[in-house]
Amino acid sequence: MNQNACKSTMKRFAAGIALVLMQSAAAVNAHAQTTIIREGNANVQLFDDNWKFSRYGLQPDGTKRPEPEGMEQPAWNDKDWTKLNLPHDWAIAGPFRIELAGKTGKLPWKAIGWYRKQFTIDKKDKGNRIFLDFDGAMAYAKIWVNGQYVGTWPYGYSSFRMDITPFVKTGQTNTVAVRLDTESWDSRWYPGAGIYRHVWLVKTAPVHTDHWGTTITTPEVTDSAATIQVAVKVSNQSKVTAQSKVTTEIFECTNGTQIGQQVGAIQETPVKVLADSAVVVANSIHLKQPQLWSLEKPALYIAKTTVHTNGSKPDIYYTTFGIRHLQFTARQGFLLNGKRTEIKGVCLHHDMGALGAAVNITALRRQLRIMKEMGCNAIRTSHNPPTPELLQLADEMGLLVWDEAFDAWKKPKLKNDYNKLFPEWHEKDLLALVHRDKNHPAVIIWSIGNEVMDQRDTALTHELAAIVQHADPTRPVSNGYNDPDGGRASGAATYLDIMGVNYFFSQQPKWDADPRYADKPTMGSETSSCVSSRGEYFFGTKYDHFQATSYDEAWPGWGCSPDEQFRTNAKYPHLLGEFVWTGFDYLGEPTPFNSDETNLLNFRTDSSKRKELEAALDAIRKKNPPSRSSYFGIVDLCGFPKDRYYNYQAHWRPELPMAHIMPHWNWPERIGQNVPVHVYTSGDMAELFVNGVSQGKKTKRPGEDFRLVWDSITYQPGEVKVVAYKNGQQWATDVVRTTGKMSKITLEPETNFLQADGTDLCYITVRICDNDNQLVPRSAVNLKFSITGPGEIVATDNGDATSFVPFSSTARPTFNGMAQVIVKGKKGHPGKITVSVQTDEGLQGSSTTVEAK
Ligand code: GAL
């Protein structure tokens, strides 16, 4: 019998094996294919439907509505409340208001929100434990059941469990009430508002695998064999000592949730658990010929843990995990399964553009797919715990994750940010993150913070790093510094396993030579911060009418071009890689048109730069910018690639033959004037032709050039063509042409089918085209969308960071020729859905049909 606490059996990064019971893969039987609903206790159901919602405190128009007392009581009359299903973001419907903060998207997210739901629990569940698992609720959640207070979890990004067993009546109607308060929260970006992630109802036997109660590690991994260490925390919530038996069977996992072939099992282990206590049972198993989790082939396994206790039904718990080996080195970078893997990452905030913060797995999958196609292999969950689905998708799709906890510690960036919660909650929130996410193979690095004001605080860094290292000794801990020299000089960074550097690499050689840091791997935890607006090109200026040029020549004082960052990376090839700020545009923080104070935070140490920035900020404030979402994205808020996308693709996917020309070629006002042409290509040389005439060949200097530039092209309408070469062979071409007049509107769905489950989405791209189906680049046409069949238009967008048209509107202009419609099917109603578009601006309407299945 092994009942070791899991922590005592593991070493950091290379856990030893606590033996253990073994069984060879060949000796076990196949298992009938089933699908798990989600990781964790098997008796789980989604608790999202049929909630009632009412908003108090600040209203969308800025007025105040008093909050009455007694709304947690079952008898409260909620007849007039809004009926809805979760996840729900009460602020995304808007309206955008010019006087609201740009940093949080000019959306009215501050309010007090109340949610209520009635539910029944079967008589036969008497004696079982009943829990509500919240994936995340923004913010200051307080929960009551049947009028009795259950508990609170203030940090809106943490997942948490409420044990409602003592308050629930079996065989009767129960009422749960949730109060959320975003008025007490401050944020540097749009945080969303409401129960914006899923809620789950979980039922277990009194003796069961605890919440996030399994820890699966793979301390020894080779191509031919792996050791899988399984620690199960068995919790006894009964009043008597339990004599239980624990087994864990291991299965292959297909499609992320399907239980496939059984490959091994840990034989039954008896365990004695005293009343109201928990015991960890740790075992190992050897697996021959394991399928390793890698970026190319992200193989997954499912562990099915069963706790048998006399007098109870067996308690079943599922854990998805992967077998892979991580090594972080100061000289050779990061090695995944022994293979040097440069981290080509992006930072992502948690919103999903026009959908706001309300989690949708199709939207998340799409975000990750777009990033992966660019060659991105890693996501930084800036700057908070992500929704669990993000990790599930990263596991399935083969993406690495830098999993981050906080944007503030004790010292505030904003008055009511995490500093208010820090004293009481930092340990609980950190543990909630690590315990929840520890089995995801995608998660490779924990981050305790981002540019926190106390980043030089040695004791605090030590304390936070130790909490994480203790909870998970198998992964490194990092912190993102915007004052990396201060962080290192103070000694704070010695407590980290990985040094995270945001933007400032100039002192890298000095620290590489310092004995305290020479062996510390370093990560570009945030890089570039280039800003651009899709389809906007300026000559002689970087910014105009609150847009940023797409020549990728604009960034704030702390940032640089992607090209410059690639040059820096080439100079320090021993670094682990980079996380670009950001992959997607996001709601809020519309730098350089962010008139709020948060920009100043980037220059705490350089007083002259800070002064410059203060002056710039004053100037912006005078202009009262309408900007409400970021310009940092490599893709816009719709997910439409900006030109930068092709810069990253050229660099990150060198094997993909591609070339991309910018700008477009519709400049009637610049005939005879200069229009520079830039080309991103994965080739090493290219020749440019304007109207068939060669403009000469340009060659990239390795490690120096990441775009090819023809600066002195004189504009004449017609055609620009580039022919790229690699190693002397023709490699890729691209062409842009002066288009004809606008003549049609095209609607292009990204998928032809969607699930009729009330969740799945279909994204439709709208383009204004000429007769030859070419996008008319600068067109702004007012469009009206309509829908027939079993579906609804949930949002529209066009990627314009200054638009005040609410996302829920079915009328929207195109921005530089493009717009987007997001459609959802009706639950349980398969059929054909037709989306149509009309305009009063002289173009024929059109339509497209997708099928809900
Ligand atoms: C960083 C910060 C990010 C974002 C970014 C904008 O310093 O960590 O959250 O504000 O600047 O460039």
Side-chain angles (χ1 to χ4, degrees):
M1 177 166 50
N2 276 282
Q3 295 184 9
N4 312 321
C6 64
K7 58 181 181 257
S8 64
T9 64
M10 294 187 208
K11 280 192 282 160
R12 313 205 51 225
F13 303 127
I17 313 161
L19 170 65
V20 203
L21 302 152
M22 289 179 243
Q23 191 166 325
S24 91
V28 287
N29 295 323
H31 184 271
Q33 186 114 341
T34 21
T35 300
I36 63 167
I37 296 176
R38 68 155 194 168
E39 287 191 82
N41 307 82
N43 194 349
V44 59
Q45 66 198 69
L46 210 50
F47 200 64
D48 281 352
D49 286 357
N50 299 320
W51 286 78
K52 292 256 188 120
F53 169 73
S54 192
R55 177 174 178 151
Y56 298 90
L58 284 167
Q59 298 299 295
D61 63 1
T63 57
K64 274 220 163 195
R65 181 180 176 210
E67 182 188 9
E69 290 199 347
M71 289 187 285
E72 74 283 7
Q73 293 305 324
W76 182 265
N77 184 349
D78 60 14
K79 264 205 196 106
D80 297 334
W81 290 26
T82 310
K83 246 182 115 171
L84 52 80
N85 296 338
L86 306 178
H88 172 236
D89 177 350
W90 75 56
I92 194 63
F96 294 104
R97 291 191 357 238
I98 189 77
E99 74 279 13
L100 291 178
K103 66 173 184 279
T104 47
K106 294 197 175 294
L107 283 163
W109 60 279
K110 287 210 175 223
I112 308 292
W114 274 85
Y115 293 82
R116 288 165 54 91
K117 174 181 161 101
Q118 296 199 323
F119 63 104
T120 51
I121 301 287
D122 235 57
K123 263 208 177 112
K124 64 176 193 295
D125 281 315
K126 200 166 177 58
N128 283 336
R129 303 305 297 186
I130 315 287
F131 305 96
L132 289 181
D133 286 359
F134 289 80
D135 286 349
M138 189 66 70
Y140 285 93
K142 286 188 174 156
I143 289 114
W144 292 261
V145 167
N146 296 330
Q148 289 175 277
Y149 183 62
V150 182
T152 181
W153 203 292
Y155 191 31
Y157 297 105
S158 280
S159 297
F160 58 92
R161 165 168 281 190
M162 289 285 147
D163 186 348
I164 60 170
T165 317
F167 313 104
V168 159
K169 297 179 205 146
T170 51
Q172 292 180 42
T173 301
N174 296 276
T175 304
V176 56
V178 179
R179 179 188 191 268
L180 299 178
D181 170 9
T182 46
E183 288 181 12
S184 304
W185 183 246
D186 281 343
S187 177
R188 294 193 303 115
W189 57 88
Y190 176 71
I195 311 182
Y196 71 106
R197 293 182 184 164
H198 294 294
V199 182
W200 306 85
L201 176 71
V202 179
K203 300 173 187 171
T204 72
V207 184
H208 56 266
T209 301
D210 203 15
H211 188 215
W212 303 324
T214 56
T215 304
I216 302 191
T217 55
T218 53
E220 287 181 353
V221 178
T222 65
D223 283 343
S224 54
T227 303
I228 304 167
Q229 198 164 65
V230 182
V232 180
K233 187 172 174 194
V234 181
S235 165
N236 179 0
Q237 287 194 281
S238 77
K239 294 287 163 228
V240 292
T241 299
Q243 301 284 357
S244 302
K245 290 169 192 150
V246 183
T247 58
T248 295
E249 300 154 276
I250 313 275
F251 302 90
E252 285 174 358
C253 169
T254 51
N255 292 336
T257 48
Q258 293 201 323
I259 302 179
Q261 183 80 17
Q262 186 172 346
V263 295
I266 295 170
Q267 284 165 359
E268 203 170 83
T269 308
V271 57
K272 177 174 156 190
V273 195
L274 300 180
D276 283 326
S277 61
V279 169
V280 175
V281 183
N283 285 301
S284 290
I285 180 169
H286 290 295
L287 190 66
K288 292 208 180 103
Q289 307 299 328
Q291 296 183 51
L292 301 193
W293 186 90
S294 66
L295 301 183
E296 302 75 29
K297 204 166 168 264
L300 293 173
Y301 290 89
I302 292 181
K304 179 185 180 189
T305 299
T306 310
V307 177
H308 297 267
T309 310
N310 275 346
S312 270
K313 272 195 182 160
D315 176 84
I316 293 170
Y317 189 102
Y318 293 112
T319 312
T320 310
F321 69 98
I323 300 174
R324 83 305 184 244
H325 188 256
L326 311 176
Q327 262 175 290
F328 297 87
T329 74
R331 294 286 159 250
Q332 288 168 290
F334 167 59
L335 287 83
L336 178 61
N337 301 328
K339 188 173 128 197
R340 167 86 166 100
T341 304
E342 183 189 343
I343 295 177
K344 303 166 178 175
V346 296
C347 298
L348 291 181
H349 268 316
H350 77 140
D351 72 64
M352 282 144 294
L355 303 177
V359 163
N360 182 288
I361 194 161
T362 307
L364 284 175
R365 187 179 280 116
R366 177 176 180 270
Q367 282 192 336
L368 298 187
R369 179 173 47 74
I370 291 170
M371 292 296 106
K372 224 182 133 113
E373 274 166 20
M374 177 172 73
C376 162
N377 64 14
I379 306 295
R380 175 184 181 205
T381 71
S382 39
H383 304 296
N384 46 261
T387 190
E389 288 91 335
L390 184 99
L391 302 172
Q392 179 197 326
L393 290 168
D395 283 352
E396 278 171 47
M397 295 169 78
L399 283 160
L400 307 168
V401 175
W402 161 296
D403 206 354
E404 187 149 283
F406 304 125
D407 192 48
W409 293 348
K410 258 188 198 165
K411 290 190 187 163
K413 286 181 179 171
L414 297 170
K415 186 169 162 255
N416 289 325
D417 64 18
Y418 196 78
N419 77 87
K420 287 270 152 66
L421 299 176
F422 189 90
E424 196 188 330
W425 286 91
H426 68 273
E427 181 167 10
K428 292 177 208 153
D429 282 317
L430 267 182
L431 290 179
L433 174 74
V434 177
H435 289 163
R436 187 194 69 174
D437 297 347
K438 62 187 180 299
N439 294 318
H440 288 281
V443 175
I444 58 162
I445 299 172
W446 302 113
S447 165
I448 54 176
N450 172 62
E451 300 189 355
V452 293
M453 305 304 274
D454 13 28
Q455 59 195 277
R456 293 182 185 203
D457 189 325
T458 308
L460 212 47
T461 308
H462 186 189
E463 185 204 335
L464 297 174
I467 292 170
V468 177
Q469 287 156 348
H470 194 249
D472 176 21
T474 72
R475 290 180 183 84
V477 178
S478 191
N479 186 17
Y481 281 89
N482 59 338
D483 176 17
D485 298 332
R488 283 186 274 223
S490 65
T494 57
Y495 291 102
L496 302 171
D497 303 305
I498 289 177
M499 180 66 202
V501 177
N502 289 9
Y503 306 101
F504 303 104
F505 293 91
S506 55
Q507 299 296 310
Q508 190 62 39
K510 171 180 148 190
W511 297 112
D512 282 342
D514 186 305
R516 283 179 302 169
Y517 294 102
D519 291 332
K520 187 135 338 243
T522 301
M523 178 74 218
S525 37
E526 213 171 295
T527 59
S528 183
S529 268
C530 187
V531 287
S532 58
S533 307
R534 175 184 51 78
E536 298 284 334
Y537 304 92
F538 307 134
F539 307 95
T541 181
K542 293 174 181 171
Y543 305 108
D544 198 1
H545 55 277
F546 303 109
Q547 305 291 356
T549 183
S550 260
Y551 274 114
D552 300 336
E553 290 172 332
W555 45 86
W558 57 90
C560 66
S561 64
D563 318 44
E564 185 55 34
Q565 186 64 47
F566 294 153
R567 279 190 279 277
T568 304
N569 299 350
K571 239 164 77 188
Y572 308 123
H574 59 296
L575 302 193
L576 303 176
E578 68 170 309
F579 285 103
V580 180
W581 191 266
T582 50
F584 266 67
D585 269 340
Y586 52 94
L587 296 166
E589 208 182 24
T591 306
F593 309 111
N594 189 358
S595 55
D596 311 309
E597 69 288 9
T598 44
N599 263 351
L600 294 175
L601 295 166
N602 294 73
F603 281 113
R604 292 178 311 108
T605 48
D606 183 334
S607 56
S608 70
K609 284 228 163 119
R610 200 182 153 98
K611 274 205 182 120
E612 239 174 68
L613 209 64
E614 267 166 6
L617 201 58
D618 272 351
I620 297 165
R621 281 191 187 128
K622 285 192 187 113
K623 291 186 186 154
N624 197 17
S627 308
R628 47 66 169 165
S629 51
S630 85
Y631 301 80
F632 289 118
I634 301 172
V635 303
D636 72 11
L637 207 63
C638 297
F640 298 149
K642 301 178 187 173
D643 293 286
R644 248 186 300 155
Y645 188 86
Y646 302 100
N647 195 1
Y648 286 101
Q649 192 174 59
H651 187 56
W652 283 351
R653 295 184 65 184
E655 75 297 342
L656 178 79
M658 54 76 63
H660 173 82
I661 296 174
M662 61 181 166
H664 59 75
W665 214 238
N666 279 30
W667 301 103
E669 75 281 24
R670 293 188 72 83
I671 292 177
Q673 294 178 48
N674 171 240
V675 175
V677 174
H678 295 202
V679 169
Y680 294 132
T681 176
S682 50
D684 48 30
M685 194 264 273
E687 183 168 16
L688 190 79
F689 300 88
V690 176
N691 293 329
V693 179
S694 174
Q695 306 297 312
K697 290 179 175 163
K698 305 266 177 189
T699 304
K700 286 185 190 168
R701 291 163 301 166
E704 282 293 320
D705 297 318
F706 298 92
R707 71 175 89 186
L708 296 171
V709 175
W710 284 263
D711 250 341
S712 43
I713 303 295
T714 302
Y715 178 77
Q716 289 298 337
E719 180 189 277
V720 184
K721 179 175 178 181
V722 70
V723 181
Y725 296 83
K726 193 162 187 160
N727 301 324
Q729 303 290 315
Q730 191 171 319
W731 177 249
T733 62
D734 190 28
V735 178
V736 295
R737 292 190 187 90
T738 309
T739 71
K741 279 204 211 113
M742 302 187 282
S743 80
K744 55 176 108 154
I745 312 167
T746 65
L747 297 179
E748 201 184 313
E750 288 183 10
T751 50
N752 294 323
F753 301 100
L754 68 159
Q755 300 295 319
D757 60 1
T759 298
D760 199 13
L761 302 171
C762 177
Y763 283 77
I764 299 172
T765 303
V766 184
R767 287 190 179 84
I768 306 296
C769 292
D770 70 359
N771 262 333
D772 295 327
N773 284 328
Q774 302 181 110
L775 176 80
V776 181
R778 297 158 87 186
S779 45
V781 179
N782 286 304
L783 302 176
K784 274 189 158 168
F785 300 98
S786 57
I787 190 163
T788 56
E792 58 171 319
I793 293 175
V794 282
T796 63
D797 190 11
N798 62 15
D800 175 0
T802 65
S803 170
F804 272 31
V805 178
F807 291 121
S808 53
S809 172
T810 51
R812 180 167 302 277
T814 53
F815 176 60
N816 289 315
M818 295 175 80
Q820 177 176 68
V821 185
I822 309 173
V823 169
K824 184 157 84 175
K826 281 206 177 112
K827 196 172 177 174
H829 291 272
K832 291 207 162 37
I833 300 171
T834 299
V835 175
S836 304
V837 58
Q838 302 291 332
T839 177
D840 300 333
E841 298 183 23
L843 294 178
Q844 275 243 312
S846 69
S847 66
T848 188
T849 298
V850 294
E851 195 173 344
K853 283 190 165 181

